[in-house]
Amino acid sequence: MTKAYDIIKKPVLTEKSYADMAAKKFTFEVAINANKTEIKAAIEEIFEGVKVESVNTMRTLGKMKRQGRTQGRTAEIKKAYVKLAEDSKPIAFFEGMA
């Protein structure tokens, strides 16, 4: 069993994610092999009193990069869009940001 902090890597802080915070939608970068049920359990474990209503995930391939004749890819990432229930407490980490 993996730990909750191994599943949730970091929050994604962009203009779009700030706009979604008012509707109780938060964006996190998660482990590539994590599924939706693991992500939901990890969020509810890390942030006390939070009820997750739904989780949507998106996986992006790394971009091709070149340095002279050498080429390679940047790292592949997976993002999770987490929507909290109406009766849920807000996530304390994001308080005052939106």
Side-chain angles (χ1 to χ4, degrees):
M1 180 75 184
T2 57
K3 295 187 169 124
Y5 288 99
D6 293 334
I7 293 172
I8 307 298
K9 291 184 179 180
K10 62 182 180 180
V12 176
L13 302 174
T14 60
E15 288 182 22
K16 182 180 176 183
S17 68
Y18 280 124
D20 287 342
M21 284 181 197
K24 290 192 172 185
K25 293 181 185 176
F26 300 94
T27 309
F28 296 95
E29 186 176 323
V30 297
I32 291 288
N33 57 355
N35 60 32
K36 292 181 181 184
T37 55
E38 290 174 340
I39 294 168
K40 179 180 177 179
I43 292 291
E44 290 176 348
E45 181 181 333
I46 292 172
F47 304 106
E48 296 295 323
V50 171
K51 291 182 188 174
V52 176
E53 183 178 313
S54 66
V55 176
N56 295 328
T57 58
M58 183 177 75
R59 194 168 170 172
T60 59
L61 292 175
K63 294 181 182 178
M64 288 295 297
K65 296 289 185 177
R66 273 185 24 173
Q67 182 70 33
R69 293 188 331 199
T70 308
Q71 61 182 350
R73 285 191 176 271
T74 58
E76 184 178 346
I77 64 167
K78 185 174 189 177
K79 288 192 271 187
Y81 298 97
V82 177
K83 183 173 180 2
L84 301 183
E86 290 296 323
D87 58 342
S88 173
K89 285 177 41 181
I91 296 178
F93 176 79
F94 295 104
E95 285 289 309
M97 287 189 177

